[in-house]
Amino acid sequence: MEDLTILMVDDDEVDRLSLIRSVKKSTFNAKVDEAVNAKECMQCLEKKEYDLIFLDYLLPDKNGVDLLKDIRKVSQTVPVVLITSQTDDVIAAEVMKSGATDYLSK
């Protein structure tokens, strides 16, 4: 089975490690790269293609919806799962309208 390449974009190290631990416990092989802000995310996307991106809603230099729009300019097809601690239905709708594949609550 081919390894999946996943990009985890979150400024909170504990949240990144938690998700990475969950991915490693899964039944598929995955290589996880990490970015702590929008700038690092876009730098990663310039260097490599990803099979999946987990994207935090609140980043220090840009919100997840705005970053998702930037990601969609580079790749229309990569699945992006937005992760948020916000449980507002308006935010969930905004996330999905912006091109997210899905969203998860922290």
Side-chain angles (χ1 to χ4, degrees):
M1 178 180 202
E2 187 175 322
D3 287 352
L4 296 175
T5 56
I6 298 173
L7 178 59
M8 178 61 207
V9 185
D10 196 323
D11 61 318
D12 187 304
E13 182 178 13
V14 172
D15 289 342
R16 283 194 322 272
L17 292 175
S18 176
L19 184 62
I20 291 168
R21 189 173 23 258
S22 295
V23 168
K24 299 233 185 252
K25 287 181 181 178
S26 71
T27 59
F28 56 89
N29 297 325
K31 165 78 171 89
V32 180
D33 291 341
E34 300 175 51
V36 298
N37 57 40
K39 181 180 178 183
E40 284 186 15
C41 172
M42 296 309 292
Q43 289 171 340
C44 288
L45 290 172
E46 288 174 7
K47 296 175 187 170
K48 137 186 336 187
E49 290 185 27
Y50 290 91
D51 298 307
L52 174 64
I53 299 173
F54 287 106
L55 176 60
D56 187 23
Y57 180 76
L58 293 175
L59 295 168
D61 56 345
K62 188 175 275 199
N63 76 47
V65 171
D66 290 339
L67 180 53
L68 178 56
K69 292 174 186 176
D70 293 343
I71 291 169
R72 288 295 175 229
K73 291 175 187 173
V74 175
S75 175
Q76 291 289 317
T77 59
V78 64
V80 178
V81 177
L82 215 109
I83 302 171
T84 179
S85 57
Q86 313 288 321
T87 56
D88 186 331
D89 289 339
V90 174
I91 291 173
E94 178 186 19
V95 163
M96 297 308 289
K97 286 179 186 175
S98 298
T101 306
D102 205 348
Y103 74 97
L104 298 172
S105 295
K106 287 186 181 181

